[in-house]
Amino acid sequence: MKKYFLAIVLMIVFTAISYSQQNDKPKWLSKKGYWLVESNLSSPKSSVIYFYNNDNVLVYKENVEGLRVKINKTKVKMSLKKILEASVTAWEKKHISRENDYLVATALKK
């Protein structure tokens, strides 16, 4: 009886662990689209950031000059997610791609 009880408890624990690992997505990932940072090693303070919706349509593009975009920081990723979601929402209303409204530069300088 103890063997069956232990086996059931272990199955529940492993099921819970595997379920939680499947649903753990990074919080900076958006359901509305994705962003892409293009930079160069020879000029690290110059980047181009592209924001796309889930249909791979460019909804916003910004050239960032004089500022290094550190994409391995959570704060930067969360800022890019927020800009992405706002840009996708604006694109859904007018279907016009925007460019260089300085949204990223303003968010990262804070």
Side-chain angles (χ1 to χ4, degrees), residues 67-95:
L67 183 66
R68 177 177 277 173
V69 179
K70 300 177 183 176
I71 59 172
N72 55 349
K73 293 195 172 216
T74 304
K75 183 178 178 181
V76 172
K77 292 177 186 177
M78 292 303 291
S79 296
L80 293 175
K81 175 186 175 184
K82 193 179 294 186
I83 294 167
L84 168 69
E85 291 178 349
S87 298
V88 170
T89 303
W91 185 86
E92 287 173 347
K93 290 179 182 176
K94 297 182 180 180
H95 291 283

Side-chain angles (χ1 to χ4, degrees), residues 10-24:
L10 287 176
M11 283 187 353
I12 291 172
V13 169
F14 287 129
T15 303
I17 290 172
S18 66
Y19 180 76
S20 68
Q21 288 176 350
Q22 291 173 354
N23 291 330
D24 283 345

Side-chain angles (χ1 to χ4, degrees), residues 1-7:
M1 186 71 166
K2 290 182 184 179
K3 291 179 185 178
Y4 293 117
F5 179 72
L6 182 61

Side-chain angles (χ1 to χ4, degrees), residues 16 19 21 23 26 28 31-32 45 55 60 65 70 75 77 82-83 97 103-104 107:
Y19 180 76
Q21 288 176 350
N23 291 330
W28 58 82
K31 293 181 180 180
K32 293 186 172 190
K45 290 190 174 185
D55 296 328
Y60 181 64
E65 298 290 334
K70 300 177 183 176
K75 183 178 178 181
K77 292 177 186 177
K82 193 179 294 186
I83 294 167
S97 179
L103 300 175
V104 176

Side-chain angles (χ1 to χ4, degrees), residues 51 60 62 79 83 86-87 98 100-108:
F51 296 91
Y60 181 64
E62 182 170 339
S79 296
I83 294 167
S87 298
R98 298 182 320 171
N100 289 330
D101 288 341
Y102 301 105
L103 300 175
V104 176
T106 304
L108 297 182

